[in-house]
Amino acid sequence: MNYQWYPGHMTKAKRQMQEDIRLIDLVIELVDARIPQSSRNPDIDNLGKNKARLILLNKADLADEKLNRLWMEEFKGKGFHVLEVNSKSGQGLKAIQGIVREACKEKIARDRSRGIINRPIRAMVVGIPNVGKSTFINSFAGKACTKTGNKPGVTKGKQWIRLNKDLELLDTPGILWPKFEDQVVGLRLAMIGSIRDEIIDSSELALKMIGFLNKDYPLALNKRYDIMEFSDNHEALKMICLNRRCFLKGEELDLNRAAGIVIDDFRNGRLGRITIDRMDCRSEV
Ligand code: G4P
């Protein structure tokens, strides 16, 4: 996880995407179900206009089930096709084929009216780093697919993964950048582990997580660390430190180690299924 984004990278990635997007019918946009809004790229709606759109709430297994449903409704209300998936286990991927046909029905009808039958739908996967694009492509395409293009005798060009007679996927995903400049978004990306840890001090990050959990998932800390009734986030971290027996030499508390434990537990779902983004996304974490 060592993504560094400079204006040059972003301009190049955007140009590449503008080129690739011309070749496709459908944009499959992956978002992280724990932060469905903060893991979106602000330019994607513009880049993907005039294309069929499918949003996948990926890592749905780590996110709050109730909020997964609410976010699906939210995106549907904005005119997107939406599914919740777990690309790692493959859960939810079976439903994609049907929804792709639904999302592309206008294109299919247009082809038909021009006498073009059975032209496969061409799709591309896009999303910010670490959202699960490669995992998704590998699980979805599986082993059954065949690659097309760049073979002797075939015009040199893009590599397409042929999933079946109806659907082809561009084999390299489009990388988008998140809305770094927004501090709330930056913090949420750090919480799920999507940007480099050096960006925020680990104790500070753990304290933010504790504050957020205490507000939105009040039982989570008690359940995992057996703590309750603390006056502030700092005291809670101290209690976790004691509970986990994180000591430096002697009896001195190793708060950094305790912070690392909280961060790791939070990101790996050991504190339960958690969604940080709410529909009214501006609330502070
Ligand atoms: P990217 O191409 O968009 O950059 O993301 P990538 O597929 O590399 O996935 C980033 C991390 O997210 C990987 O974990 C991957 O296993 C995990 N992941 C992807 N989809 C899901 C999902 O639906 N649920 C869960 N729980 N995890 C998912 P990693 O820690 O980098 O690797 P590993 O521990 O899996 O080996």
Side-chain angles (χ1 to χ4, degrees):
M1 224 176 346
N2 192 15
Y3 297 107
Q4 294 183 13
W5 288 92
Y6 301 112
H9 280 148
M10 299 195 210
T11 313
K12 193 162 167 248
K14 189 166 171 181
R15 205 175 301 130
Q16 184 65 49
M17 190 157 318
Q18 274 163 335
E19 243 173 62
D20 289 346
I21 238 161
R22 287 205 311 250
L23 308 171
I24 55 141
D25 310 298
L26 169 73
V27 177
I28 303 178
E29 180 189 354
L30 264 70
V31 300
D32 190 307
R34 294 166 294 175
I35 49 168
Q37 188 60 39
S38 305
S39 57
R40 294 196 77 208
N41 166 285
D43 292 332
I44 183 63
D45 288 335
N46 196 26
L47 283 165
K49 68 171 187 275
N50 307 325
K51 302 289 172 186
R53 301 288 299 279
L54 170 59
I55 291 185
L56 298 181
L57 284 182
N58 193 40
K59 309 197 186 183
D61 53 307
L62 298 174
D64 188 322
E65 284 164 289
K66 195 170 115 233
L67 279 151
N68 282 348
R69 281 195 295 277
L70 290 176
W71 273 108
M72 300 231 316
E73 289 312 312
E74 173 82 6
F75 285 127
K76 276 184 199 159
K78 290 187 170 150
F80 297 103
H81 294 267
V82 200
L83 274 178
E84 55 177 303
V85 296
N86 171 355
S87 296
K88 215 166 157 175
S89 71
Q91 204 171 359
L93 300 186
K94 274 208 189 101
I96 292 182
Q97 193 69 23
I99 214 162
V100 163
R101 288 193 72 79
E102 173 65 27
C104 295
K105 65 176 186 236
E106 282 172 19
K107 176 221 167 274
I108 295 167
R110 214 165 40 236
D111 276 0
R112 253 194 212 133
S113 70
R114 291 178 187 151
I116 307 165
I117 298 164
N118 291 339
R119 186 167 72 90
I121 291 158
R122 289 193 145 182
M124 138 182 217
V125 173
V126 306
I128 65 167
N130 214 35
V131 78
K133 298 178 293 300
S134 317
T135 311
F136 169 72
I137 292 175
N138 287 337
S139 300
F140 185 50
K143 294 186 186 76
C145 64
T146 48
K147 290 201 173 186
T148 61
N150 279 355
K151 287 182 205 145
V154 178
T155 326
K156 194 166 163 35
K158 297 281 168 193
Q159 286 257 321
W160 295 89
I161 303 169
R162 180 149 211 174
L163 289 140
N164 52 46
K165 67 178 181 24
D166 296 326
L167 183 59
E168 289 184 354
L169 202 63
L170 195 59
D171 89 331
T172 40
I175 303 174
L176 297 164
W177 53 101
K179 214 173 160 192
F180 289 126
E181 66 283 4
D182 183 316
Q183 281 193 5
V184 173
V185 170
L187 176 59
R188 291 173 186 201
L189 290 164
M191 285 168 85
I192 64 157
S194 185
I195 52 176
R196 291 188 308 148
D197 280 339
E198 297 96 275
I199 287 172
I200 178 166
D201 169 76
S202 66
S203 296
E204 200 185 321
L205 185 58
L207 291 172
K208 294 274 188 194
M209 285 174 172
I210 290 169
F212 163 75
L213 289 167
N214 203 25
K215 178 168 69 72
D216 283 13
Y217 295 92
L219 299 178
L221 290 169
N222 173 254
K223 219 167 143 191
R224 177 84 189 155
Y225 306 116
D226 198 20
I227 61 166
M228 57 173 80
E229 291 183 29
F230 37 85
S231 54
D232 58 20
N233 302 338
H234 201 258
E235 195 190 347
L237 185 60
K238 271 189 183 164
M239 290 163 92
I240 294 168
C241 201
L242 282 166
N243 171 293
R244 288 295 143 119
R245 311 199 54 74
C246 301
F247 296 114
L248 294 164
K249 273 192 224 107
E251 291 293 286
E252 201 183 332
L253 294 178
D254 188 349
L255 289 171
N256 274 335
R257 209 164 102 221
I261 291 174
V262 173
I263 293 171
D264 226 45
D265 286 348
F266 188 99
R267 289 177 180 168
N268 290 310
R270 288 190 289 267
L271 287 161
R273 297 176 63 162
I274 286 163
T275 299
I276 308 169
D277 277 355
R278 304 288 135 139
M279 308 316 131
D280 57 346
C281 212
R282 298 310 310 172
S283 76
E284 287 292 327
V285 284

